[in-house]
Amino acid sequence: MEPKQSESKSSGMDLLNQATSEDTNHYAETDSQYDHEVCGGHDKSTLSQQMIRSSENGIETVVSSYYLEFQAGQRREIVHIPLVPPLENSPDVYAHATDHEDVRVRITDSQKYGIRAEVILSDQPATPIQRHVEFVISAQRNT
């Protein structure tokens, strides 16, 4: 079964931007207060993953953010995103690297209970590097 992916980047980006701006406004008045509250008081440089799950207008949305470490010579990293409790229907998934253009994200499995993706660098890094990848997962709720 072929994983279901969003065809339109704008719809995924719109969801991501909407979720990010709403969460920022909900949590804090300033960036530093947002960083402190959303990151659990941790410095963002030590954050490895973050997930925000919400439901509005009959659509459940999960925005998931990962900071992935690539070792020297490593081009591929596998990401598993568990969805607990599972979504009610099969999700649409949009993924992108936020900080570099040398990253390709391929959704290899998309289920109600989780997502599997490969994050692939265009070249092998000479030294260890970190890349930030965000996923927007959305599914209709049953009424």
Side-chain angles (χ1 to χ4, degrees):
M1 178 190 229
E2 186 66 26
K4 189 174 181 183
Q5 297 183 38
S6 294
E7 294 296 319
S8 170
K9 283 189 176 186
S10 63
S11 66
M13 283 302 293
D14 292 343
L15 283 172
L16 180 62
N17 290 334
Q18 178 184 357
T20 303
S21 66
E22 287 174 2
D23 293 330
T24 302
N25 292 335
H26 169 75
Y27 281 105
E29 298 297 321
T30 67
D31 287 342
S32 62
Q33 185 181 356
Y34 172 76
D35 292 343
H36 178 76
E37 291 182 21
V38 172
C39 299
H42 297 285
D43 180 346
K44 279 198 295 190
S45 66
T46 64
L47 184 67
S48 61
Q49 68 182 20
Q50 178 180 12
M51 186 177 291
I52 299 170
R53 188 169 181 159
S54 61
S55 182
E56 186 175 342
N57 298 325
I59 298 176
E60 190 158 13
T61 303
V62 178
V63 178
S64 186
S65 176
Y66 287 81
Y67 293 86
L68 303 172
E69 297 287 337
F70 290 86
Q71 299 305 314
Q74 179 185 2
R75 288 190 58 216
R76 183 179 315 259
E77 184 67 56
I78 305 300
V79 176
H80 293 102
I81 304 171
L83 299 171
V84 180
L87 298 170
E88 294 178 20
N89 291 292
S90 296
D92 289 321
V93 180
Y94 171 76
H96 75 284
T98 62
D99 53 356
H100 291 85
E101 293 182 14
D102 67 338
V103 179
R104 183 169 63 100
V105 182
R106 189 175 82 133
I107 307 302
T108 57
D109 197 11
S110 176
Q111 302 290 330
K112 296 179 201 179
Y113 54 82
I115 308 299
R116 181 184 187 274
E118 291 180 318
V119 180
I120 304 163
L121 299 177
S122 58
D123 294 311
Q124 292 181 347
T127 60
I129 61 171
Q130 185 181 70
R131 293 294 182 260
H132 181 232
V133 179
E134 289 184 330
F135 296 85
V136 177
I137 305 159
S138 61
Q140 290 286 332
R141 294 195 62 146
N142 296 333
T143 12

